[in-house]
Amino acid sequence: MTAGTQMLAEMSEQPHVLGVLAGRRPELVARLRAALPERPLGIVLVARGSSDHAAVYGRYVLERASGRPVSLAAPSLHTLYEIEADYSGYVAVAVSQSGRTPEIATVLDRLAEAGACTIAITNDADSPLARTARAAVDLGAGPERAVPATKTLTAQIAAFAILAEALGPVPWSGRDWAALPGGVEAVLSDPEPAHRAAEAIGDADGLIAVARGYLYCVALEAALKLKETTAILAEGYSTADFRHGPIAVVERDRPLVAFAARGPAAPDVEALMDEVRVRGGRVIAVSDATDADVSLPRDVPEPLAPIPAAVRAQQLARELALMRGVDPDAPFGLAKVTRTH
Amino acid sequence: MTAGTQMLAEMSEQPHVLGVLAGRRPELVARLRAALPERPLGIVLVARGSSDHAAVYGRYVLERASGRPVSLAAPSLHTLYEIEADYSGYVAVAVSQSGRTPEIATVLDRLAEAGACTIAITNDADSPLARTARAAVDLGAGPERAVPATKTLTAQIAAFAILAEALGPVPWSGRDWAALPGGVEAVLSDPEPAHRAAEAIGDADGLIAVARGYLYCVALEAALKLKETTAILAEGYSTADFRHGPIAVVERDRPLVAFAARGPAAPDVEALMDEVRVRGGRVIAVSDATDADVSLPRDVPEPLAPIPAAVRAQQLARELALMRGVDPDAPFGLAKVTRTH
């Protein structure tokens, strides 16, 4: 099979997968509401790798919807240090594509023993994780064989948006959901800007990906995808954190890839892009602004924009891998399921 | 002034600063207990930059001590998106060297309005943050003028350990506190291994710093210090996350700097070091094992080892900066207090 064919095929399924999930919203929200406590004290998310970036998105939308603090679990507290914990009144959400990552399953079991109401987001309704959780969201994305998670990552983001709807008010509407598959389709049918951005990155040894707020997860995800598929040193940052020190690493030969969509976080990202340009650094803007280097659909609002933006990150990683002679379907001998204890 | 003199002078004050904090433990624990709710529902930490790495340490020790989930705040939820939140029953801890970072002060105010019991950890008892919080820990570290935070960072870590003691059981003793200043002194009086490690890094374009559990914060801090002072692309990782994808970025020319101390997390770090060596990568081990490249004091237990390990990271960053002709006291025109809103 030609290099990158598998990844491209799975990327192209995203409008369909997202459309099906959007259609299942009423059923999923009802199922989740039946399992969730009426007023959770807080929410804890358990994930690794790309799934952890979906959890970073969840961190924002679930806290907004529930009004209660949301935390990303520190798994070693439960697997290595075996602390005594009281999670009664809490909701614990585990995210794993396979539903078979041993560490994630162990942590969810421990949090259940500590009193948490458990929710699983997996791509396999028969997986151990889905079977042991009080309620599960099956992504229905179909098998994913390429090493870089694509359709399962965007489906996980969508699942967190649906979980937010089960918890409280959300900053999007049914119309926004309806626009989502088309927005992703528009991105997929327009790979040329990502190709040009990959050419602009060229043989850089590294880059920094930034965003803020809802889109922060995409900066992390873009950096991971690029590292996985090309071994470039790419690090994801919140624009706010990036100002606290390491801005000097961005220079002519190490571009800044910035993600933004119209909304409260966009001015901060634009300000950082300007700062970097003033310092002589090179900027690749992925946004819904008219002067973007890589466009995002204008009819998907900021709180759902991580989905089309993640697809732009997939395109960018795939193009750069192919340019560097790496097969993005199975780069550097990486395995699909990682065993961590 | 000779390059790096200021940073070195501030580094050398650490045994004294830590000794004073250790001596003030009874007073500080009593003051904190008087302010804290008897059984917090959860704890939220607010910080940026190096202070955020002290908070990552806090995340582990506070969750262990309180048995309740600890979360790192997403400031934009409060400063940009202005969500409706209910933090009643929660403790919010803000960490800022100056106590004057506007974003941190704004977030703490919002969390107080939302019902949280607020604690400030600052180096200035008269700062706005210290004055508005219900209780404050003043680090007493004296003025810090070099851009890279050194003595305030290790003092912040110590402050989180003291806060943990106010909340519940902790995995260290008074004897361990007594050993701490001497352990840090031993590291400071033995800079040669850090110098050799900096030579081993040489002109690498990047590196990965890893650790797990209590020491994870030091991987993040080492990466930030190295980026700040040398503009090398250094990224900090949990060993568990690093296995989920980006291991291919470590190779002959990009070393892995691994931090470990005897305890539950050490075998995972050792296993990753072995994996990287098998792949032909280069490893610099900073640990209390006898075969370490850079030693850590053996009488400081794993849960307090982030303090001497952070001092090793300071030495490494300073040595590499000097080797690369950068003044670590004020690298690349960075400012000491960052204004983020």
Side-chain angles (χ1 to χ4, degrees), chain B residues 183-241:
Chain B
V184 170
E185 189 64 59
V187 165
L188 288 166
S189 62
D190 176 35
E192 187 52 31
H195 182 78
R196 283 198 307 272
E199 283 183 332
I201 294 170
D203 57 1
D205 63 334
L207 61 78
I208 297 287
V210 293
R212 199 163 181 211
Y214 293 121
L215 280 153
Y216 170 44
C217 59
V218 180
L220 299 176
E221 174 63 7
L224 177 60
K225 279 277 170 294
L226 285 159
K227 265 183 295 206
E228 274 185 325
T229 57
T230 72
I232 192 174
L233 275 183
E235 184 168 4
Y237 260 102
S238 144
T239 47
D241 277 318

Side-chain angles (χ1 to χ4, degrees), chain A residues 265-311:
Chain A
D268 195 44
V269 180
E270 280 155 22
L272 180 68
M273 289 195 281
D274 287 343
E275 276 178 61
V276 166
R277 287 190 192 106
V278 165
R279 294 172 69 108
R282 205 144 45 89
V283 174
I284 296 168
V286 184
S287 86
D288 59 2
T290 48
D291 60 349
D293 300 299
V294 181
S295 65
L296 293 179
R298 291 180 68 84
D299 54 352
V300 178
E302 186 200 18
L304 292 178
I307 292 174
V311 178

